[in-house]
Amino acid sequence: MWLMLAVLALPLIEIALFVVVGGGIGLWLTLVWVVVSAALGVLILKRVSMKGPISLDRDVRSLRDPMSPIARRALTVLASGLLILPGFFTDTLGLLLLVPQAQMLIIGIVARRVRQDGAVQHGQMTIDGEWSEVTSAGKERVSGNPADAPPSGWTRH
């Protein structure tokens, strides 16, 4: 419900800001602002797309948490999309999302609301893995217990 109201309110806010701010600074400066902000959004999007995989690979290889850089890149892409859209409100939101402190604040808020499933968290390191059961004969069983083999003793039944 709130999302629908926000989607409906966004064009009204943009129109009102175009009338008020555009009336204050004039038509030509308003048009220049729209074109410059869209060009800035395209340049930022191009920069993120060109260097994204390189830094992600570096983060994974250095065993750092890759989720923060991924989230920062996602917020930067969102910011560039908001800059590409014409309007003073979306440009303001886009510029705010480019500030690193604002990005970290948003990532922290979202991280507290999201929980991880299927992983064990130990300090800053997340440990996730698969397991298989090994029989006493040294053979690996991946799924289920065959009726003729006893449990290995490594698992509780």
Side-chain angles (χ1 to χ4, degrees):
M1 179 67 171
W2 290 106
L3 181 63
M4 188 169 163
L5 288 175
V7 169
L8 292 175
L10 184 63
L12 298 175
I13 293 169
E14 292 292 4
I15 291 170
L17 285 174
F18 267 124
V19 169
V20 172
V21 176
I25 65 173
L27 172 67
W28 293 109
L29 283 178
T30 303
L31 291 176
V32 167
W33 176 264
V34 169
V35 171
V36 167
S37 68
L40 179 66
V42 169
L43 286 174
I44 292 170
L45 191 60
K46 184 177 180 181
R47 184 185 63 124
V48 169
S49 68
M50 294 302 286
K51 76 176 209 177
I54 296 168
S55 65
L56 177 62
D57 185 48
R58 185 178 59 235
D59 292 335
V60 171
R61 285 185 187 194
S62 65
L63 297 177
R64 288 187 302 190
D65 180 23
M67 294 313 289
S68 181
I70 290 171
R72 290 187 72 178
R73 261 183 244 116
L75 288 174
T76 304
V77 168
L78 178 63
S80 65
L82 289 171
L83 286 170
I84 292 170
L85 290 174
F88 291 106
F89 183 68
T90 53
D91 289 347
T92 303
L93 289 177
L95 290 172
L96 282 175
L97 283 177
L98 290 176
V99 176
Q101 290 85 2
Q103 288 181 348
M104 295 312 292
L105 178 69
I106 292 170
I107 291 170
I109 290 169
V110 171
R112 283 193 297 266
R113 300 192 69 152
V114 174
R115 66 183 179 101
Q116 294 182 352
D117 289 331
V120 177
Q121 186 119 16
H122 177 67
Q124 296 289 356
M125 185 183 304
T126 301
I127 303 169
D128 193 3
E130 296 179 11
W131 63 274
S132 61
E133 190 173 336
V134 178
T135 64
S136 60
K139 295 184 180 180
E140 186 175 296
R141 288 184 293 178
V142 176
S143 61
N145 273 339
D148 57 343
S152 67
W154 288 94
T155 58
R156 194 180 322 185
H157 294 276

